[in-house]
């Protein structure tokens, strides 16, 4: 169970990106986060694994307050939270296999990382995860030789290496074409269904939300403006979320 | 708009005119200061010496021939004897001979010397040999005489002011090349020094690069900005450094004393070198498991810590044994290997260096370990203790840390400036430090984190910028004083300059890497070290290689002149020969420099193309 309580983030410049946001996410849920560009979706997801330090509020995960965790505790927490990014964020010059193995870094003793050594079990695991997302044949390619869809699969495989209990996906399909978008979303759905991993996924397209999400939260200018089922978003709600001039497409 | 422009135009042209005037004044003053004077260049004396130098430079002293000399004298009287014109015996005309006409004259009068039967196309000096003191002879004319195809020459000169009643002589020393050309001593010296130069640049670049890499990480804003820690953690880690260094140093010295009884025995050395790595690898593998899913029990953790400490101590023992082995083999090799004795010497020196720096290494390692351990202790105390207790904790340890840090700086001042006043070097700094620490703890909220990373960043930057602005040549002067004249001083100077300038360039590369992968690696739970290894290093390899090569180019160039101030390399010879007006030798060295710099340029561009 993930509980967000009165979460506020004010950036150094004074921008209030999150304004007193509270909601709960039960284990195993596929939660979509929607909102206009700049509404604070990325900020919210990054506060959860503290890539961004929240200014105020609490994030309780299984009863433990993530905002109060020490660096060592944070390492232990982060390794259970996979993250998938809009721009994939692979290390371009490294091999695909290395990018995937990097998912294990939270478990590996840092002393061994200096020597660039991973246990054999991890190597096998990496191959299995790459097979699962369909890129096993690319293991020895450099990451930047892959197409966007393939790179995002590497990103998912990297997250899977963490044996995650939760995946944060920040617009995972925004830079992909619609066909690829569905294939990536299906991987996330599969992970959510089969492995029972909680997924928090920010999305731009409502059809994707309807198709994949169990529940939706919507942000507008850092405030939570909607929380409910995807099919509850009628025209009125839509205008609340996206502004009065917005038109529904698709 | 137009109106405005029109109004402004007289004012603008006035400004423009004033700017030109100011420029003129600046350049006029510049001419005055730098003594620009082409008149001097036109003077005959200048032109003559210039062309002489250019001629010498055009003939670098690289090859020479064995030379055969023909030395022939002819008698001459300066002031004719009272008895009238002297009778000069007919010279032996079967070989080369000289005839001076007239055979007697007053000082300053012109005499003609003719040579016959010399070897054709040879040259050499004409000299006047005083009868009383033959060593104190006088060169006649600036140029050598030159025989024609028949072996004849004719030359006029003024007699020097060396009157004497005795017979004196004019001597022609004509030299002739025989046999095949061979390398001159200059060429051989130049070769030796140019090799020294290249290696000087190589060592400086290598050491510089190695030390610049870690520095570049702590001089990169994007890596240091997120580094924040509570005051308790900072204070304890500051205290950890000196304590750790002392402990580490003492322990490593103790290990050295354990190792030294076996130092001379190569068999024991070898045995240790083989067994210890195995032990160490077992120890490390047990003490540092590759992966840990659940938190180990505290008893297991303690046991691991103990094994780790023991392993490190064994490793240091091995290091000393390795140093002894290297020294021993080196000592044998130096004599036994003949031409390749330098390999032996290398081993010997490496062994020596290892045994000298190992205690320091141990000190630094222990300092870093204790400091990070105590830092973590501080972190944990801040989390666990109540706010009031943290405040007290902070006050106590911040005071202690401030006193220690500034007290140590005071000690440094004492040893640098030989101040012998305890008030200035001990009590003053300690009290100031304690006060500063106390005030810092008083005014920070107990559980707040401080931007440690940015403080380190600014200190490092300042230090780098300061040192970078000092030219390597100036650093070389300092090092020549510190370690004596020779290439080692040059290596130190160039190395230091390489460190600071590369660290700056590198850190700019670190600052411009893509933030995305960094974020992604951090999100997996990787710690700072792992983030650097997996997200930063892969991104910076190409620019690092290209900057290192660029620096290698600079170092080769610098190493050719660092000898001017005694830093070793070819510059020393060059400067010496210029000072001795030995331009032909200097020319050989300039050629060598040109060849080396050009070929290094070529080499590095080839490498760059290949790897970047
Ligand atoms: N590092 C930062 N410093 C200052 N302001 C920031 C920073 N990052 C984001 N912001 C601001 O915070 C607000 C929320 O940004 P955020 O990136 O969370 O929006 P988003 O919903 O993810 O938008 P998008 O859909 O375009 O990704 C925006 O107004 C943005 O300008
Ligand atoms: Mg975003």
């Amino acid at each position: 169970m993930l509980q967000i309580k009165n979460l506020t983030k004010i950036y150094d410049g004074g921008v209030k990106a999150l304004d007193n946001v509270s909601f709960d996410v039960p284990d195993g849920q596929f939660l979509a986060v929607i909102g206009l560009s700049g509404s604070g979706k990325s900020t919210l997801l990054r506060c959860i694994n503290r890539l961004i330090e929240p200014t105020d509020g609490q994030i309780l995960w299984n009863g433990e307050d993530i905002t109060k965790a020490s660096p060592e505790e944070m390492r232990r927490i982060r390794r259970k939270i996979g993250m998938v990014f809009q721009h994939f964020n692979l290390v371009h010059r490294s091999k695909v296999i290395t990018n995937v193995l990097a998912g294990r870094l939270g478990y590996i003793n840092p002393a061994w990382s200096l020597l660039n050594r991973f246990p054999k079990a991890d190597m096998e695991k990496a191959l299995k995860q790459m097979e699962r997302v369909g890129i096993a044949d690319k293991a020895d390619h450099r990451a930047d030789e892959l197409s966007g869809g393939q790179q995002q699969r590497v990103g998912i495989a990297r997250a899977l290496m963490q044996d995650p209990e939760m995946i944060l996906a920040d617009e995972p399909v925004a830079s992909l074409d619609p066909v690829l978008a569905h294939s990536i979303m299906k991987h996330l759905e599969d992970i959510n269904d089969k492995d029972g991993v909680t997924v928090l996924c920010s999305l731009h397209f409502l059809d994707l939300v309807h198709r994949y999400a169990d529940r939706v939260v919507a942000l507008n200018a850092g405030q939570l403006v909607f929380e409910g089922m995807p099919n509850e978003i009628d025209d009125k709600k839509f205008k609340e979320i996206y502004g009065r001039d917005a038109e529904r497409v698709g | 708009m137009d109106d405005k422009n029109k109004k402004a135009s007289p004012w603008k042209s006035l400004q423009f005119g004033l700017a030109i005037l100011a420029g003129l004044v600046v350049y006029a003053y510049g001419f005055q200061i730098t003594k620009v004077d082409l008149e001097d260049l036109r003077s005959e004396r200048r032109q003559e010496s210039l062309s002489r130098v250019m001629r010498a430079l055009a003939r670098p002293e690289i090859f020479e021939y064995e030379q055969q000399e023909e030395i022939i004298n002819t008698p001459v009287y300066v002031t004719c004897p009272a008895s009238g014109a002297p009778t000069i015996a007919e010279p032996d005309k079967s070989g080369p001979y000289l005839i001076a006409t007239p055979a007697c004259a007053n000082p300053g009068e012109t005499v003609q010397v003719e040579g016959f039967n010399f070897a054709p196309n040879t040259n050499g000096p004409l000299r006047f040999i005083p009868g009383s003191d033959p060593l104190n002879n006088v060169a006649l004319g600036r140029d050598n005489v030159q025989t024609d195809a028949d072996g004849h020459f004719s030359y006029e000169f003024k007699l020097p002011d060396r009157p004497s009643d005795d017979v004196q002589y004019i001597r022609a020393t004509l030299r002739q090349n025989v046999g095949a050309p061979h390398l001159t001593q200059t060429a051989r010296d130049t070769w030796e020094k140019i090799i020294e130069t290249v290696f000087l640049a190589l060592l400086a670049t290598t050491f510089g690069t190695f030390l610049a890499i870690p520095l570049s990480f702590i001089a990169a804003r994007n890596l240091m900005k997120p580094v924040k820690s509570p005051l308790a953690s900072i204070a304890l880690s500051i205290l950890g450094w000196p304590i750790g260094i002392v402990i580490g140093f003492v322990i490593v010295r103790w290990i050295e004393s354990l190792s030294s009884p076996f130092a001379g025995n190569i068999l024991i050395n070898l045995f240790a070198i083989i067994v210890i790595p195995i032990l160490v690898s077992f120890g490390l593998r047990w003490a540092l498991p590759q992966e840990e899913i659940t938190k180990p029990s505290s008893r297991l953790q303690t046991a691991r810590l103990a094994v780790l400490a023991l392993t490190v101590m064994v490793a240091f023992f091995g290091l000393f044994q390795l140093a002894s082995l290297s020294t021993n083999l080196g000592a044998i090799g130096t004599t036994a290997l003949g031409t390749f004795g330098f390999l032996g010497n290398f081993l010997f020196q490496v062994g020596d260096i290892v045994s000298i720096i190992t205690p320091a290494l141990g000190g630094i390692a222990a300092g870093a370990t204790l400091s990070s351990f105590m830092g973590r202790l501080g972190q944990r105390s801040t989390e666990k203790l109540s706010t009031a207790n943290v405040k007290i904790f902070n006050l106590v340890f911040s005071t202690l840390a401030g006193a220690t840090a500034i007290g140590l700086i005071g000690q440094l001042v004492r040893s640098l400036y030989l101040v012998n006043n305890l008030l200035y070097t001990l009590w003053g700094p300690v009290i100031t430090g304690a006060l500063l620490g106390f005030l810092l703890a008083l005014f920070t909220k107990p559980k707040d984190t401080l931007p440690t990373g940015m403080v380190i960043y600014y200190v490092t930057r300042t230090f780098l910028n300061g040192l970078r602005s000092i030219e390597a040549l100036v650093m070389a002067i300092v090092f020549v004083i510190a370690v004596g004249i020779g290439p080692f001083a040059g290596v130190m100077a160039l190395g230091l300059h390489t460190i600071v300038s590369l660290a700056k360039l590198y850190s700019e590369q670190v600052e411009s890497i893509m933030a995305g992968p960094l974020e992604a690696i951090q999100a997996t739970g990787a710690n700072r070290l792992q983030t650097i290894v997996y997200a930063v290093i892969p991104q910076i390899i190409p620019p690092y290689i290209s900057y290192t090569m660029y620096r290698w180019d600079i170092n080769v160039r610098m190493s050719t002149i660092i000898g001017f101030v005694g830093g070793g390399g070819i510059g020393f010879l060059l400067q010496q020969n210029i000072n001795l007006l030995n331009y032909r030798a200097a020319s050989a060295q300039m050629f060598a420099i040109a060849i080396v710099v050009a070929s290094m340029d070529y080499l590095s561009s080839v490498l760059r193309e290949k790897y970047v």
Side-chain angles (χ1 to χ4, degrees), chain A residues 11 13 15 17 36-44 86 170-171 204:
Chain A
Y11 280 110
V15 179
L36 281 174
S37 185
S39 58
K41 304 183 295 295
S42 301
T43 307
L44 171 65
Q86 175 181 358
D170 188 11
E171 294 177 30
H204 267 314

Side-chain angles (χ1 to χ4, degrees), chain A residues 46 70 109 112-113 122, chain B residues 288 290-291 383 519 530 534:
Chain A
R46 281 173 174 70
S70 72
N109 195 319
W112 291 100
S113 293
D122 285 350
Chain B
L288 300 170
Q290 279 199 313
E291 230 173 69
E383 285 156 17
E519 191 182 35
Q530 292 173 314
Y534 285 94

Side-chain angles (χ1 to χ4, degrees), chain B residues 64-75:
Chain B
E64 67 182 358
Y65 292 87
E66 256 349 310
Q67 286 192 320
Q68 217 169 30
E69 286 184 343
E70 286 174 312
I71 302 173
I72 305 295
N73 296 333
T74 187

Side-chain angles (χ1 to χ4, degrees), chain A residues 46 51 70-72 75 78-79 85 89-91 93 104-105 107-110 112-113 116 118-119 122 158, chain B residues 288-293 376 379-380 383 514 516-517 519-525 527 530 533-534 538 542:
Chain A
R46 281 173 174 70
L51 286 179
S70 72
E72 274 158 85
R75 175 174 155 88
R78 275 182 181 163
R79 71 187 189 188
F85 302 84
N89 288 0
L90 303 184
V91 182
R93 291 178 50 86
R104 289 308 282 179
L105 288 175
Y107 295 89
I108 302 265
N109 195 319
W112 291 100
S113 293
N116 200 359
F118 287 93
D122 285 350
R158 175 171 64 192
Chain B
L288 300 170
Q290 279 199 313
E291 230 173 69
E292 220 154 27
I293 308 299
R376 233 179 283 173
Q379 175 89 36
R380 217 168 275 170
E383 285 156 17
M514 291 196 293
E519 191 182 35
I521 297 292
Q522 272 167 354
T524 66
N527 77 353
Q530 292 173 314
V533 174
Y534 285 94

Side-chain angles (χ1 to χ4, degrees), chain B residues 262-327:
Chain B
F262 315 110
N265 191 327
I266 292 191
L267 286 181
I268 293 182
N269 296 161
L270 268 176
F271 181 72
I273 295 302
I274 294 166
V275 172
I276 285 178
I278 299 173
L279 283 180
V280 167
S281 103
F282 272 117
L284 284 182
R285 243 176 254 186
W286 189 78
L288 300 170
Q290 279 199 313
E291 230 173 69
E292 220 154 27
I293 308 299
T294 51
K295 214 171 170 190
S297 71
S298 57
R299 253 181 68 192
L300 184 59
Q301 267 183 318
T302 321
R304 281 189 179 147
L305 218 57
V307 169
L308 191 63
L310 201 68
T311 308
V312 171
M313 280 158 72
V314 171
F316 270 105
F317 186 84
L319 213 53
F320 281 117
Q321 287 293 314
L322 182 67
S324 312
L325 181 69
S326 184
T327 320

Side-chain angles (χ1 to χ4, degrees), chain B residues 94-143:
Chain B
S94 62
Y97 62 94
L98 289 177
I99 290 177
T101 41
C104 76
N106 290 325
E109 284 182 336
T110 302
V111 170
Q112 190 195 27
V113 179
E114 268 189 291
F116 300 92
N117 283 351
F118 282 92
N121 300 320
T122 54
N123 65 38
L126 268 186
R127 293 183 166 279
F128 177 85
I129 314 286
S132 53
D133 183 7
L135 288 180
N136 195 8
N137 53 37
V138 183
L140 296 173
R142 276 224 192 102
D143 298 321

Side-chain angles (χ1 to χ4, degrees), chain B residues 14-190:
Chain B
L14 184 65
Q15 262 185 329
F16 187 62
L18 280 176
I20 287 189
L21 204 66
L24 271 178
V25 170
V26 167
Y27 280 95
Y29 191 63
F31 266 54
Q32 162 85 20
I33 289 269
T34 55
K35 305 201 173 93
V36 174
D37 183 7
L38 294 183
E39 205 50 50
D40 215 24
L41 197 66
R42 247 183 263 151
S43 83
E44 201 168 308
R45 194 174 50 88
R46 286 268 165 216
Q47 294 214 330
E48 193 183 315
S49 44
L50 183 65
S51 60
R52 213 148 36 84
V53 170
M54 295 308 281
R55 244 177 273 142
L57 287 181
R59 291 182 13 210
E61 198 177 292
I62 298 172
F63 294 110
E64 67 182 358
Y65 292 87
E66 256 349 310
Q67 286 192 320
Q68 217 169 30
E69 286 184 343
E70 286 174 312
I71 302 173
I72 305 295
N73 296 333
T74 187
V76 70
Y77 288 86
V78 182
T79 73
C80 289
S83 53
T87 48
I88 304 287
E90 183 82 350
D92 176 7
K93 290 191 174 166
S94 62
Y97 62 94
L98 289 177
I99 290 177
T101 41
C104 76
N106 290 325
E109 284 182 336
T110 302
V111 170
Q112 190 195 27
V113 179
E114 268 189 291
F116 300 92
N117 283 351
F118 282 92
N121 300 320
T122 54
N123 65 38
L126 268 186
R127 293 183 166 279
F128 177 85
I129 314 286
S132 53
D133 183 7
L135 288 180
N136 195 8
N137 53 37
V138 183
L140 296 173
R142 276 224 192 102
D143 298 321
N144 286 341
V145 297
Q146 171 87 40
T147 60
D148 60 18
D150 299 328
H152 168 259
F153 69 85
S154 168
Y155 190 76
E156 282 181 1
F157 65 91
K158 293 192 171 76
L159 280 178
D161 190 13
R162 296 285 177 89
S164 166
D165 291 340
D166 295 328
V167 62
Q168 310 195 72
Y169 294 93
I170 290 168
R171 171 181 295 172
T173 312
L174 289 193
R175 304 193 178 109
Q176 189 183 15
N177 295 337
V178 292
H182 57 90
L183 286 174
T184 56
Q185 186 59 38
T186 306
R188 264 175 272 154
D189 292 346
T190 305

